[in-house]
Amino acid sequence: LFLEQGQPDRAAAIYRKLSKNEPENNSLRERLANIEKLLVENTPKSPLEQTLQRFVESLADALSATVLDAQGNILGQFQVGSAHLDASGIIEHYRQSFAHIERAWEEEPQAGQLNELIISTSLLTCILKPLTPHVFLALLLEPKGLSGRARHMLRYYEDYLKEHLAGIE
């Protein structure tokens, strides 16, 4: 259940206790090894990814946060559980749409600068937010996600994300 909820650390803790009680149970040890491998794979490597993890975990309904450059290269990403979600594929389609909208906005300077774009479907909500002229954040939320809260928390994390990007760009 904890794995399905995107909480492999809690699942691992339970399997560790079970393995202590039944040290000869090979299936428990094997399952624990698989969960711990998953934990290592999902551990953010860079400071940017660590910040994305804190950001996503601060929102109960967030699915993933990805920082991309204008060409679609992923600079950092954190995704909660939901292995069935192809965040990168979804975001690539939205990135292309965002680029078209951004170009249209640039052709109409009296409309002002594009600050964010929210795309809401029956299956998810995506908030696209430029962080620099060439880098943006894509935040995926559950369909009934609280986009207002997500936007508020994004304002809080935006400076941290920009600090990490200064070292990358």
Side-chain angles (χ1 to χ4, degrees):
L1 181 61
F2 283 126
L3 285 175
E4 289 174 14
Q5 294 174 347
Q7 300 178 34
D9 54 331
R10 294 183 73 184
I14 290 170
Y15 274 96
R16 283 185 197 107
K17 287 179 185 176
L18 293 171
S19 292
K20 274 186 180 181
N21 293 338
E22 299 180 47
E24 66 285 339
N25 188 329
N26 290 333
S27 65
L28 280 177
R29 283 199 320 265
E30 184 178 315
R31 186 71 174 136
L32 176 58
N34 289 336
I35 293 170
E36 287 178 335
K37 180 181 175 190
L38 179 68
L39 279 169
V40 169
E41 290 171 357
N42 289 336
T43 301
K45 312 288 186 271
S46 70
L48 175 62
E49 289 174 330
Q50 291 172 1
T51 300
L52 290 172
Q53 179 180 6
R54 285 193 305 276
F55 176 43
V56 167
E57 290 176 346
S58 72
L59 301 166
D61 47 10
L63 300 172
S64 75
T66 306
V67 175
L68 300 101
D69 65 16
Q71 290 74 42
N73 300 312
I74 295 175
L75 305 177
Q77 182 175 46
F78 180 78
Q79 183 171 329
V80 176
S82 302
H84 68 281
L85 178 70
D86 178 16
S88 299
I90 293 167
I91 292 166
E92 177 57 24
H93 292 294
Y94 290 164
R95 181 194 67 79
Q96 292 172 11
S97 300
F98 184 75
H100 291 299
I101 292 168
E102 204 169 36
R103 278 194 295 279
W105 230 262
E106 289 170 358
E107 293 174 8
E108 299 295 334
Q110 69 273 16
Q113 184 178 350
L114 181 61
N115 291 328
E116 68 185 18
L117 178 64
I118 299 175
I119 301 170
S120 184
T121 71
S122 61
L123 299 176
L124 58 85
T125 298
C126 179
I127 300 174
L128 300 167
K129 171 84 172 155
L131 296 173
T132 73
H134 306 290
V135 176
F136 71 93
L137 171 87
L139 175 66
L140 296 182
L141 302 170
E142 293 176 3
K144 303 276 190 224
L146 299 175
S147 59
R149 174 158 169 64
R151 292 173 64 223
H152 172 75
M153 293 304 293
L154 176 54
R155 283 193 293 276
Y156 174 79
Y157 279 96
E158 186 174 1
D159 289 336
Y160 295 111
L161 294 168
K162 286 179 180 179
E163 278 179 33
H164 297 308
L165 289 173
I168 295 174
E169 285 192 303

